[in-house]
Amino acid sequence: MKHFIMLALLFVVGNTFAQLKLEGVVKDSIGNPLELANVIAINQETKGLESYGITNSQGQYQLALTKNNTYTIQVSYIGMKTFEEVLSAKEADITKNFTLKDDNTLDEIQLTYEMPVTIKGDTLTYNADSFNKGTERKLEDVLKNLPGVEINADGKIEIEGKVVNKLMVNGKDFFDGDSKLATKNIPSNAVDKIQVLRNYAEVGQLSGVQNNQDNVAINIKLKEGKENFWFGNVTVGGGFAPTPNDELYLVQPKLFYYSPKYSINVIGDLNNTGEVALTGRDIRNFGGGFRRPSGGSGTTINLGDNGLGSLTNLGNAQTIQSKLTAFNFSYAPNKALDISGFAIYNSNRLKTRRESFVRYTDSDLGIPDEEKVEIGREATNQGLAKLSLRYKPDSNNQLDYDVLGRISDDSEANGIFSSVVGNTNQLDKAKPFSINQNVNYYYTLNERHIFAFEAQHLLKDEDPFYNALLVNDPTNNDGQPNERDAFDNTAEGLGLNRDQFGYNLNQERRIKSNQLDAKLDYYYILNATSNINFTLGTILSNQQFDSNIFQFLDDGSYFDPIANITDSDGNSIRNENDTEYNFSDVYLGVHYRLKSGKFTFTPGFSLHAYGNNNTQFGEAYKDNFFKILPDFETLIQFKKSESLTFRYNMQNSFTDVTRLAQGLILNNYNSIQYGTPDLQNALSHNLSLRYFSFNLFNYTNIFASLNYNKNIDQIRSVTQFDNVIRTSTYFNSNFADESVSAFGRIQRTFGKLRASMGVNYNYSKSNQFIQDRRSINESFSQSYSPELRTNFKKAPNVSLKYQYRVTDNNQGTNKSKFTTNSPSIEFDAYIWNAFTFKTDYSYTKQNSDVGPSDSYQTWNASLAYRKDKDAKWEYELRASNLLNIDSNINNGSNNISVYSSETFVLPRFVTFRFIYTL
């Protein structure tokens, strides 16, 4: 593999030195430079587009040409006559200026090729075919070719450092704008144009009165012939795994229909190869396009997530069986009404294995190191459906209604061997459901007065169940501490019957949440450069929480224990909870927005009246108070493609009911908590500085951000350990936590080469309370990720990456350091206009002072054949984990420990596939 990487580097360097530079200036007839003029070079021999460029504000352009070739140079600009000239490129760089003349008629010379990139206002349009090389199969492959576009580790699209929050196809939402579903499933051969919509406003009436610079959307325009016809593909495949009798299967239909009036998208997935369209985590994080009306008010309230939060990443499973059915539609019966919706069902069955070594912070307090082996089975069944209506009879009125329902049935069984606790079997189950409704109405009275009403209601019901079977020897209950079972002290605190040959520990919980979030905005347009916004809003929340810890005895009978645990004031803690938590926030916000030249200032504040009370076993705890939360934003728009944004806001955060409930709660067998009913809110100061620049002249994309956060009166835990079993409660701390993060990425295109460098720095300081002792945890991490990628039309293409990360932790009395080195290479080639070969390889080495240094490798490859690019049938041979590596290594830390873990993964899979394209 080292020799392969060296050959790839030589190939990249050789092609680079075979190029020369054509540069110059484009002006109008009176000598003024023309910005955003298009310059393209067409190879006369191949008739293909060789290079392109867009002029900067000084009218300068640059093209990269291959030596000893002849080109047709075309120069165009809106409203001017297109210029064309034949140019011979020899060995030396060329300087050539062009002058364009006004022309009110059609150009006499017809452009042979569309410009790869055009810009109009806030819309940046990429012509997909200008970047495609023939090896693309999905939208994701197309997007990776585009300058300024990244696919992050979560599969989301990033542009100018901002995550794309909406994706449309022909102007219609694709599964409510989810970009991951789109990138993994829309076929590349259907894509004509990719429109990047900067400063995207969901509601056109508010586009001129709000700051939307963080909003980026993408619209995929389909090729001619894809409308009014079904298109897509169906993949069917099979193969064999190393384990006998384990046959592999894969069935993935992806069908799409678009017309001016309606659209239908159908995605199916049935496989045991680990190639899934959506993971269980993706489904849980699927927002459905909902945004909190109070998102900018300064108040956040956490309703908690009491489902199975430990669902395994599918890349960390030994076996996977997955099913997915997804349906999306849109229908416009007339110009005023749009109806859309989707339904998704997802099912996964996993087997997992993980081995880990854990060293707890403050180990001088007697907390032992722990080695663990965890073998698990997961079963998830998740469904969600959404219906949306948009009624817009005219430009002054818009009414939106959305309803989203979720339901799931999840379970996770784990067998755990701990060097401290022994063998434990635990089972988690949850069948939560929720209904989220959204109503928005936007009304423009006249050019000076705009009203916007937004309301969202959430109803959520969660019922997690937990069971743990732990070892116990009833004969040593009263022996010396080193002779007793590791769980005996905890069992005594919980009030369990300890005369059993094993603890059968159970907990039932029920959390019902009901929340209304609504606001009314009034925008008064003062003049063309300023407006003032008044907001009247409220958050009303109610949570009801019941729980009960109980034990099944050896004879199968039910036992209701009485806990023997007291809080710091000596009050007894119960094994059950009966808590009702009510929260209210009524707020008035005022914001002023002023544009002055390159600057946009938006100062503001919000005045809040909070009501915070909970009732537990007939006793009430109340806290009512007022708070003013200021915020400020300054945008400096140096030019359309370059800006600097500074933000400051003060935020008030409120916790969920589980941290207020006084009774004991089992997070799992070795993590127990009880709440504090009089917890106060936490206040934080947040500052950020963001810069981006996208230079179309030399295709240099720069993004940088700096963030600072300081938490005051932070809600934090104080933890008591018994062996490795911890009991935590919560309090408001006067000690502030701080964090600073800096991130930057620069990307530059040099002809057919694209180079990028990403850097990331994070520093955090937090206060930790263990065994009633305060310690300060500090962590500093730095990472660097250079990348070099080619973009040749005919020749093979290579992507070389390197990731280097160092993390230093100072936790209590322990210090640790983790270092990760990870080079990788991706190679793809389109051979004889029929074969597509792809392969990727990565090597990861991790060093730490927690466990031994270790490394792992991944290598995948595929070879596909189709008669030509328009062929209906394609045949593919694909192999994953070619080296048959059985596990990955991961080192890391959290607030109470540092760890080294080995996660076992899927073995080598070889499959053969048939792909039919509609």
Side-chain angles (χ1 to χ4, degrees), residues 65 156 235 252 310 460 524 609 746 869 917:
L65 306 179
K156 300 291 187 180
T235 301
Q252 293 180 330
S310 58
K460 185 164 65 169
Y524 177 58
I746 180 170
K869 66 178 183 178
T917 301

Side-chain angles (χ1 to χ4, degrees), residues 241-307:
T243 306
N245 303 320
D246 279 353
E247 295 185 354
L248 301 176
Y249 57 84
L250 177 79
V251 180
Q252 293 180 330
K254 303 170 184 179
L255 308 175
F256 312 91
Y257 184 91
Y258 280 83
S259 71
K261 205 167 189 177
Y262 66 92
S263 68
I264 300 173
N265 304 298
V266 181
I267 298 172
D269 186 9
L270 177 67
N271 78 79
N272 64 350
T273 63
E275 304 169 42
V276 297
L278 285 178
T279 67
R281 287 183 176 183
D282 291 333
I283 295 291
R284 289 181 56 158
N285 295 330
F286 203 95
F290 282 78
R291 293 186 299 274
R292 295 185 303 113
S294 61
S297 69
T299 298
T300 62
I301 176 171
N302 179 18
L303 296 183
D305 184 355
N306 298 282

Side-chain angles (χ1 to χ4, degrees), residues 142-161:
V142 179
L143 293 173
K144 288 180 179 179
N145 296 333
L146 307 181
V149 180
E150 299 283 339
I151 305 294
N152 64 23
D154 297 324
K156 300 291 187 180
I157 306 170
E158 285 188 7
I159 296 176
E160 298 164 357

